[in-house]
């Protein structure tokens, strides 16, 4: 069920209308751009502490493999991790699909899985497989999305899934 559609048009956007009636959240970003930099992040409940663990594997169309990599003390979860190619000003093929499992549960950490595909202005394509954990037992009541630098454009759709 579609919960909310957010417009990416600044340096951050927050969803604070998350109902507690679903088991998981499904996040869809399609045809988005980043003005500067190469990352888009999410923070549950705007927690800026080092309470995240992130593992990722990146690939690019040349066949290069840039992973796996990990960070046990991150302060956010990447929804796109394309540090090697960039997606500035190109929205034709950018898609990110993420699931946050058991987001309203208060007895476990929150696991996020992410699949992303993107292309830069030179036509180099890349993909990311990523797992992130927010190490908190708090229910997620808001999600803040932001680029690593600059601004972003596009839309995010948040769905509730049982």
């Amino acid at each position: 069920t579609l919960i909310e559609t957010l417009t990416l048009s600044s340096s951050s956007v927050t969803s604070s209308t998350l109902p507690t009636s679903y088991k998981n959240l499904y996040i869809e970003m399609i045809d988005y751009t980043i003005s500067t930099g190469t990352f888009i992040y999410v923070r549950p409940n705007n927690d800026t502490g080092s309470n995240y663990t992130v593992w990722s594997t990146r690939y690019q169309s040349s066949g290069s493999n840039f992973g796996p990599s990990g960070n046990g003390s991150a302060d956010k979860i990447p929804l796109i991790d394309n540090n090697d190619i960039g997606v500035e000003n190109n929205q034709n093929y950018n898609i990110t699909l993420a699931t946050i499992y058991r987001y309203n549960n208060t007895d476990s950490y929150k696991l996020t899985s992410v699949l992303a595909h993107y292309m830069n202005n030179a036509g180099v394509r890349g993909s990311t497989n990523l797992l992130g954990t927010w190490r908190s037992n708090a229910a997620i009541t808001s999600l803040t999305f932001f680029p690593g630098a600059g601004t972003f454009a596009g839309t995010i759709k948040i769905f509730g899934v049982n």
Side-chain angles (χ1 to χ4, degrees), residues 10-11 21-22 27 58 73 76 104 107 109 117-118 150 158:
S10 63
S11 58
S21 54
Y22 300 101
I27 299 166
R58 297 186 312 267
S73 60
K76 56 202 165 269
N104 61 358
D107 64 0
Y109 293 169
H117 178 78
Y118 35 83
I158 302 173

Side-chain angles (χ1 to χ4, degrees), residues 32-40 80-96 116-122 124-126 151-152:
Y32 53 86
T33 61
I34 308 168
S35 67
T36 306
T38 56
F39 294 91
I40 294 177
I80 181 169
D81 177 3
N82 60 336
N83 195 41
D84 302 294
I85 68 168
V87 295
E88 294 88 275
N89 302 317
N90 193 323
Q91 62 182 4
N92 297 325
Y93 299 101
N94 299 334
I95 181 169
T96 296
H117 178 78
Y118 35 83
M119 185 173 80
N120 70 6
N121 288 342
V124 177
R125 299 168 192 250
T151 59
F152 50 16

